[in-house]
Amino acid sequence: MRNDYDFTEGKRGAVVPATAGKSRITIMLDDDVLAFFREQAEAQGIGYQTLINADLRKAMQPPQGPTLTVASLRKVLKEELAALKPLGA
């Protein structure tokens, strides 16, 4: 049977060529996590790997909104302490 196949023009490697800017990796995910992303992706009409990539990209972004600083924390604490009634009053 081996004589029936001609692999002289065959090439080793992935069937799908690598895309520029992307890396093929193997990652272990919990079954429930994978099921969640597959369900979400199907509802949105996109691939689950695309959805996982988008969520990972969001996680890379710096937090939005006001940043808590020492000065702002002190201000809030002063205001809250001033608003408290003294004990026994």
Side-chain angles (χ1 to χ4, degrees), residues 4 10 21 31 34 52:
D4 295 344
D31 291 338
L34 189 56
I52 292 171

Side-chain angles (χ1 to χ4, degrees), residues 27-87:
I27 184 172
M28 300 295 286
L29 299 174
D30 293 339
D31 291 338
D32 59 334
V33 172
L34 189 56
F36 171 82
F37 277 100
R38 283 184 169 157
E39 289 171 12
Q40 295 296 313
E42 186 175 333
Q44 295 179 32
I46 60 175
Y48 73 95
Q49 291 178 346
T50 302
L51 185 58
I52 292 171
N53 193 65
D55 279 5
L56 289 172
R57 189 167 296 284
K58 284 181 201 170
M60 293 169 47
Q61 301 304 314
Q64 300 296 319
T67 303
L68 181 62
T69 63
V70 173
S72 63
L73 182 57
R74 282 185 179 145
K75 180 181 176 197
V76 169
L77 288 173
K78 270 185 180 178
E79 292 169 358
E80 293 297 320
L81 289 172
L84 291 176
K85 293 183 181 178
L87 290 176

